[in-house]
Amino acid sequence: MPDGAAPVLAVSGLKTVFRTRGGEVHAVNDVGFRLRPGELLGVVGESGSGKSVTMMSLLGLLPSPPAEVRAGEVIFDGRNLLTMPPEELRAVRGGGIGFIFQDPMTSLNPVFNVGFQITEPLRRHLGMDRARAEARAAELLDLVGIPDARRRLKDYPHQFSGGMRQRVMIAIALACDPKVLIADEPTTALDVTIQAQILELVRDLRQKLGMAIIWITHDLGVIAGIADRVMVMYGGQVVEEAPVKALFADPRHPYTRALLRTIPHVRGPRAARLRVIEGQPPILRAAPSACPFRARCAHAMPRCAAENPALRAVGSGHAIACFWDAPAAAEAAHG
Amino acid sequence: MAEAARQPLVAVRGLKMYFPITAGLLRRRVGDVKAVDDVSFDIRAGETLGLVGESGCGKSTCGRAILRLYDITAGSIRIDGDEIARMGQTALRRLRPKMQMVFQDPQASLNPRMTVAGIIGEPLAEHTPMTQAERLERIYGLMDAVGLNRNFANRYPHEFSGGQRQRIGIARALALNPKFIVCDEPIAALDVSIQAQVVNLLEELQARFGLTYLFISHDLSMVRHIATRVAVMYLGRIVEIADRDALYSAPLHPYTQALLSAVPEPDPDYEGQRRRIILTGDVPSPARPPEGCRFSTRCPTVLDICRRVAPELSTRGGDRAVACHLHPATAQQTAGRTGGPMAAVWEPAGQIQQGEHR
Ligand SMILES: Nc1ncnc2c1ncn2[C@@H]1O[C@H](COP(=O)(O)OP(=O)(O)OP(=O)(O)O)[C@@H](O)[C@H]1O
Ligand SMILES: Nc1ncnc2c1ncn2[C@@H]1O[C@H](COP(=O)(O)OP(=O)(O)OP(=O)(O)O)[C@@H](O)[C@H]1O
Ligand SMILES: [Mg+2]
Ligand SMILES: [Mg+2]
């Protein structure tokens, strides 16, 4: 993707806070990124680091209260989604921007059959009549590899397996040929063969429709296979951003480096015990005034407790939010 | 000593779980989804059996059926000496503390109106005489163990991220020190570091208390790490079961081979030039499984006989069994039908009855 292309989605300065009985939770702190047409941006990071909340915030999907999007700008198609009237935003969601949620059982409605849930956006956004919408729905289910698609339109979510529900969500998200697809852990419940099939489908759609994709996942193998660029989150912030090859060959943020060391492999020797990142993730009671990773970081220095590092460039398209200068990749091979 | 260790804690024979397909206003039964269709295996005390296979092949149904969360269609299930296949709910309730489940869908399995402390403490309140203070201490201990901050004890499930919710379910399953846990995709929603933390925890508990696990997962690298043996399922049947190292170094069944070839590796250069065995053809429906071998419609090495005759799951020496015509068993190695893969270890007492679902 040429670096100069205008982004389809540009997010800046996003801040989301939850007000709970126990006080505030600053889940997203000053997150920004740009997504170019046809690009696949992978998002990885610690559980609880704010990946889902970031995406839900920019689509206006968090119930308020308790959520409060305090600052930021989300430009899609030349307009700011955060200030758009609710009914227009609804037209964007599921129309221009498709999304797949992390928890398929709760995002599918248990009282409607799956056919209704796929045809509904087709009829609403594309004005299809019932027969055409049903034919298209069966085609979509087939595309995501659900056997006997026609018959299964009449089934309810609980009658599908975990991975099938996830694929139903994918079918719904793809129904209206969106420009941007936001996929939150879309393949966690899928086995590798079906996952490969879905990844193939996604590659195809990118090529044919120029769809841009945000793909949140814990599976770094998937990221290595499909992402163009990767954004790493920790403690509600973006801590590293890099082209996919640079991220794996030369990770610079201590969190990213620790993360990459924890993965088990199917090839090579089997480890007796898996490596973990010691320590606990931060509790974000207030906007951070220091590096959120410092308590678990082997390279922390006094400055890390005094200031929250801003993103700084360390290579072409490669930036980290860290004061420490990692040694170059070759020396760091075992570091 | 070796003998005692080899005793199966769980022995499953001829397990079937069918869901009825109904039609019309009267919801007449017109067929069955054969989600689990004649499955037999053993899990030895203190071991971890990995269960892998395509989405929709029946793994969760199998795990839930073994714990009798369903009224099963047919088969025998023996856990720690008790035959539970047809046991009533009251009798089952007494056995529940011994056998627990970590569910695949964390949000759907947690009561949204209870706090985390309430959810984890519920089985303690129900099955133990602990005082409130003792209970809280235990709850904190469990939260520490799964990496949940104690300060979150009074939060509700919706206030957590996906991975945090999954850990609540794990803590709850561990609360009563069960002997046997069915872990259904217990780590799918977790980041790799916390996956590692949870897997290390499961392994520690196993070493300390001799826990036995059925570990359902599509993450083949994690299964390779945690499982002692691995069973591969395809469309309601087990197609291969073997020791971990044997299975990963030399998979015999063509489906196992395809599965292993598709595992994504965290290495963009390798990902760019790798060769996968891509399966072609549609995944058949468990309502109308193909004649003969169920994998025959997608198998890259299909023979004529495969489309007519279903291969039996039969042993290949040692702890390995495969259901494939490409790997014919010698006569004396063939395990009996009801005997299943580990026939020598335990024979079901009496006849397996055919039962109706629900
Ligand atoms: N309704 C809520 N009230 C209070 N805190 C919340 C709420 N929803 C989310 N949080 C908190 O916000 C933080 C970010 O959550 P988020 O779901 O974005 O994490 P995530 O990066 O998607 O994690 P995972 O990988 O586990 O899905 C977490 O610490 C979570 O506990
Ligand atoms: N309550 C039910 N009613 C009808 N069919 C069901 C029911 N539960 C499961 N099934 C069907 O049984 C089959 C096996 O489902 P199961 O959930 O066991 O698959 P799985 O192997 O766990 O898949 P996944 O990896 O996607 O979780 C699927 O075809 C599913 O649609
Ligand atoms: Mg999430
Ligand atoms: Mg399942």
Side-chain angles (χ1 to χ4, degrees), chain B residues 19-22 28-33:
Chain B
F19 297 103
I21 303 171
T22 55
R28 206 163 34 85
R29 181 178 191 146
V30 293
D32 287 307
V33 176

Side-chain angles (χ1 to χ4, degrees), chain A residues 153-168:
Chain A
L153 289 178
K154 290 196 292 293
D155 283 353
Y156 291 83
H158 78 271
Q159 294 172 301
F160 288 79
S161 79
M164 287 170 163
R165 288 197 285 264
Q166 207 161 34
R167 283 178 279 160
V168 169

Side-chain angles (χ1 to χ4, degrees), chain A residues 20-21 25 45-49 51-52 66 102-106 142 145-148 151-152 156 159 161-165 167 185 187-197 199-200 203 218-222 224-226 244-245 248-249 255 259-260 262-283 285 296, chain B residues 20-21 27 33 53-56 59-60 104-108 144 147-152 154-156 158-159 161-165 167 185 188-197 199-200 203-204 218 220-222 224-227 244-245 248 255 258-260 262-271 276-279 282-288 298:
Chain A
T20 68
R21 283 160 298 114
V25 178
E46 177 127 9
S47 172
S49 63
K51 303 179 298 292
S52 302
Q102 190 167 5
D103 216 323
M105 197 53 188
T106 38
D142 195 51
I146 293 192
D148 227 357
R151 174 175 76 77
R152 305 238 44 184
Y156 291 83
Q159 294 172 301
S161 79
M164 287 170 163
R165 288 197 285 264
R167 283 178 279 160
E185 304 275 5
T187 56
T188 39
L190 301 183
D191 62 279
V192 287
T193 52
I194 290 183
Q195 180 170 290
Q197 191 182 333
L199 297 181
E200 207 53 50
R203 272 192 205 103
H218 290 303
D219 190 332
L220 292 153
V222 168
I226 61 166
V244 67
K245 290 205 172 181
F248 283 94
Y255 171 69
L259 182 70
L260 291 176
T262 56
I263 319 168
H265 294 257
V266 267
R267 300 180 299 153
R270 178 181 164 274
R273 193 182 159 84
L274 298 172
R275 296 181 72 147
V276 303
I277 305 175
E278 298 295 340
Q280 293 240 351
I283 302 183
R285 291 265 179 253
R296 303 168 78 182
Chain B
I21 303 171
R27 308 205 64 76
V33 176
E54 198 151 53
S55 168
K59 303 180 297 296
S60 297
Q104 182 169 14
D105 221 323
Q107 181 146 10
D144 293 347
L148 280 173
N149 199 302
R150 289 178 176 209
N151 293 319
F152 296 167
N154 290 318
R155 285 203 194 175
Y156 292 87
H158 75 269
E159 296 178 52
S161 77
Q164 291 166 335
R165 279 198 287 265
R167 281 175 274 164
E185 304 276 5
L190 307 179
D191 65 74
V192 273
S193 168
I194 292 172
Q195 282 187 4
Q197 194 178 320
V199 165
N200 287 343
E203 286 180 335
E204 267 162 42
H218 62 270
L220 292 159
S221 9
M222 203 50 98
R224 177 187 181 213
H225 180 83
I226 196 173
R244 167 194 65 219
D245 293 334
Y248 279 78
Y255 176 64
L259 205 59
L260 286 175
V263 178
E265 280 281 301
D267 174 352
D269 295 323
Y270 176 73
E271 279 295 312
R276 288 198 173 88
I277 304 172
I278 302 272
L279 295 176
D282 291 336
V283 182
S285 159
R288 281 177 282 102
R298 298 167 76 204

